[in-house]
Amino acid sequence: MAPARKLFYAYSALALACFAAGVLTEAYWLAGVPVIVWVATRAVIDFRSIFWLLLIMIPLSTNVTLPGGFGTDLPTEPLAIGLTGLLILHAAKHWELYRAETFGHPIARLLYLHVGWILFATVFSDGFIVSLKFSLAKLWYVGAYFLLPLLILTTPRRVTTMVHCIFWPLLFVAVQTLIRHGVYGFSFVMQHKTMFPFMNEHVSYAGCLATFTPWIFYLRSRLKRTGNPYWWITFLVLPLWLLAIYFSFTRTAFVALAMAAAAFYIIKWNLLKPALTLALIGGMAVSVYLVKDNKYLDYAPDFETTVSHESFDNLITSTYKLEDISTMERLYRWVAGGHMVPYRPLTGWGPGNFIEKYKSYTVNAFRTYVSDNEGNSGVHSYYLMTLVEQGFPGLVIFLIYILGALLIGQRLYHRQTDVDARNAIMAALLAMLIVDAFNIINDQMETDKVGAQYLLNLAVIIMMGTYKPEIETLRDLPNKF
């Protein structure tokens, strides 16, 4: 009997035995053992297949709370941990393949600086264990979604594979959500149920869809250029995609997509630097205005009129009237965060510690009906969260990191002559700008739905910015032990 046939029979016997054992003992997790064996085997043979699996699972993963209150995303987080471990082993054996051109790229160094400060702030954390968990998660996110792609996403063809791996599962999530939402008459109050178990809440859902939107345009261009007769399908998908974003009822998504549309021309005209400078000055001016003479107190809500709304139209109206409970609850936490900063301005309270510490610094004038925060959600502004948890140096480093990556990416875009690589850089830049916009009033940077995409886009900019068609075969590095 051929070795391959023997291996097939052995694996089949293992699968049947584990399934039977799971049914008989009611330890149903045993049925998953063959899957774990397959994944581990494939990882050793060629870890690219596990990387593609990780990308496929980004839209499909679900957040679960394990015994002891520990939360994780399944199966993406275990896969990310495993791939980061494999990356370390691979680097130990094939260190010569880790070229300074990519792993020492200026964008990569900015990311390393940001992660380095997170680790430094962890040492001085007011809640060390919480910060340590945060820092470890950050490390395997960077390993799986940034460092590993620098080995794999070496050509426009590989980038297109990445796009397909995320696009089709995410389209499935969007379609099933629209269908289930339609059963409820697209009710504003019922939309949370329709995206379960793939998304925890509507902001992650909208953020995931909005962040990936530029890649639909890249896919259309790539398919058309390569002569694929089905490129026109993207025209049918786009209205459906935008409809899914609309029925997510997430205001930030509309603003972020509008900003991305404007940014397309800003990048094309090489005007990103002045545009970002104006945005930064505007943000600082608003912050100074609110802090000076405690001006923020003028915007305290009326507890009796600040309510949750049951229709999207009412939500939009109440937002600019400062009566929407979601908007006012954000202000409640922002004020608390602002009060926390002076107590630990250099290293912050420690990564991941805002939720545990902020309630002692709140102002009752901003309190709403949901201020008990039973869901343990964060500050709802990643920039403020960075300031609170990592201090002023942490915020400055983070801003240098994200703004520097955008400006370097724009320069690479204008230098690149290959059309597909150039289009990929543009898509990645726009996707990152969408995340940056979301981060103003949300904190999605550490999620597998949005944060993972951000790191992938960073890797794409580096690899497509240094891509040269004439040496494509030399960039196809071995991805196995």
Side-chain angles (χ1 to χ4, degrees):
M1 186 181 295
R5 187 178 292 272
K6 289 181 180 179
L7 186 61
F8 171 76
Y9 285 135
Y11 184 79
S12 299
L14 173 65
L16 290 172
C18 289
F19 179 77
V23 172
L24 293 173
T25 63
E26 296 188 358
Y28 299 109
W29 60 268
L30 289 171
V33 170
V35 178
I36 297 174
V37 171
W38 179 85
V39 170
T41 304
R42 288 300 308 166
V44 174
I45 295 174
D46 186 347
F47 56 65
R48 280 179 299 189
S49 57
I50 307 304
F51 175 72
W52 302 131
L53 176 63
L54 174 65
L55 300 188
I56 290 169
M57 296 311 301
I58 288 175
L60 303 176
S61 68
T62 185
N63 185 266
V64 298
T65 302
L66 302 175
F70 178 71
T72 186
D73 297 306
L74 295 178
T76 51
E77 191 155 30
L79 286 172
I81 295 171
L83 283 170
T84 301
L86 286 171
L87 180 70
I88 295 171
L89 295 175
H90 185 270
K93 185 175 182 181
H94 302 289
W95 181 249
E96 71 282 359
L97 302 179
Y98 290 72
R99 297 172 295 127
E101 178 190 18
T102 51
F103 288 87
H105 193 274
I107 291 178
R109 292 202 297 268
L110 290 174
L111 175 58
Y112 302 153
L113 178 62
H114 168 57
V115 174
W117 185 263
I118 290 175
L119 297 174
F120 181 78
T122 296
V123 176
F124 298 94
S125 173
D126 195 64
F128 179 75
I129 299 301
V130 172
S131 295
L132 181 62
K133 291 178 180 178
F134 182 99
S135 298
L136 289 174
K138 190 73 175 182
L139 289 175
W140 56 65
Y141 262 56
V142 171
Y145 297 115
F146 176 74
L147 297 177
L148 195 59
L150 294 181
L151 281 178
I152 297 177
L153 303 180
T154 53
T155 65
R157 178 174 57 85
R158 294 276 186 86
V159 172
T160 304
T161 301
M162 176 200 79
V163 174
H164 280 293
C165 284
I166 301 175
F167 172 68
W168 294 106
L170 188 52
L171 180 62
F172 162 75
V173 172
V175 170
Q176 71 87 37
T177 300
L178 282 172
I179 293 172
R180 292 167 64 189
H181 203 179
V183 173
Y184 292 108
F186 295 104
S187 165
F188 178 68
V189 296
M190 297 300 292
Q191 47 111 359
H192 295 279
K193 281 190 174 183
T194 62
M195 57 193 70
F196 182 83
F198 307 111
M199 307 282 173
N200 271 356
E201 34 76 33
H202 69 109
V203 176
S204 292
Y205 174 58
C208 193
L209 287 170
T211 302
F212 194 77
T213 302
W215 286 107
I216 297 178
F217 293 92
Y218 167 83
L219 188 61
R220 171 182 122 17
S221 172
R222 172 71 174 171
L223 292 176
K224 194 172 182 179
R225 277 181 48 77
T226 55
N228 191 305
Y230 299 107
W231 64 268
W232 54 269
I233 291 178
T234 54
F235 280 120
L236 300 180
V237 168
L238 190 59
L240 184 68
W241 198 272
L242 296 177
L243 192 67
I245 294 175
Y246 174 80
F247 282 116
S248 71
F249 300 132
T250 305
R251 295 154 291 184
T252 315
F254 307 131
V255 176
L257 286 174
M259 289 176 59
F264 173 80
Y265 295 100
I266 290 173
I267 294 170
K268 291 273 286 186
W269 298 334
N270 207 18
L271 295 174
L272 193 56
K273 187 174 183 178
L276 291 176
T277 301
L278 288 175
L280 192 59
I281 292 173
M284 293 174 63
V286 170
S287 300
V288 171
Y289 168 77
L290 291 174
V291 171
K292 187 178 180 181
D293 299 323
N294 292 330
K295 188 69 176 177
Y296 69 90
L297 290 172
D298 295 345
Y299 297 92
D302 184 340
F303 188 84
E304 300 299 326
T305 60
T306 304
V307 295
S308 180
H309 295 275
E310 296 188 0
S311 76
F312 192 51
D313 293 339
N314 288 343
L315 175 62
I316 297 297
T317 302
S318 64
T319 297
Y320 68 77
K321 288 183 178 179
L322 295 180
E323 294 178 353
D324 166 51
I325 195 170
S326 175
T327 302
M328 290 301 98
E329 180 61 22
R330 280 180 167 84
L331 287 178
Y332 178 69
R333 300 185 196 181
W334 293 350
V335 169
H339 287 163
M340 293 172 70
V341 171
Y343 290 92
R344 298 179 70 96
L346 294 179
T347 57
W349 291 79
N353 277 318
F354 173 82
I355 295 174
E356 296 293 329
K357 308 293 182 181
Y358 82 95
K359 289 189 177 180
S360 299
Y361 298 87
T362 57
V363 174
N364 285 334
F366 288 84
R367 185 173 175 80
T368 70
Y369 290 102
V370 296
S371 292
D372 289 340
N373 194 13
E374 295 179 0
N376 288 326
S377 57
V379 67
H380 290 296
S381 172
Y382 194 81
Y383 303 103
L384 179 57
M385 187 189 80
T386 302
L387 175 59
V388 172
E389 297 184 348
Q390 301 173 36
F392 281 100
L395 176 60
V396 171
I397 289 171
F398 179 70
L399 290 174
I400 292 173
Y401 153 53
I402 62 171
L403 299 180
L406 292 171
L407 293 174
I408 294 170
Q410 178 184 247
R411 186 167 70 243
L412 294 174
Y413 169 80
H414 285 282
R415 288 180 178 176
Q416 181 57 264
T417 56
D418 182 83
V419 175
D420 289 325
R422 187 180 170 95
N423 289 341
I425 295 171
M426 175 62 82
L429 286 171
L430 296 181
M432 288 166 56
L433 279 165
I434 289 171
V435 178
D436 293 336
F438 259 82
N439 281 337
I440 296 173
I441 60 172
N442 293 286
D443 34 28
Q444 295 289 313
M445 200 69 155
E446 310 303 332
T447 67
D448 64 340
K449 305 299 183 184
V450 176
Q453 288 194 61
Y454 193 89
L455 292 171
L456 285 168
N457 285 312
L458 279 177
V460 167
I461 290 173
I462 292 174
M463 298 312 296
M464 294 301 96
T466 57
Y467 172 72
K468 295 180 178 60
E470 62 271 18
I471 59 172
E472 178 171 320
T473 55
L474 298 179
R475 294 165 63 92
D476 195 14
L477 303 176
N479 300 291
K480 55 188 176 182
F481 295 99

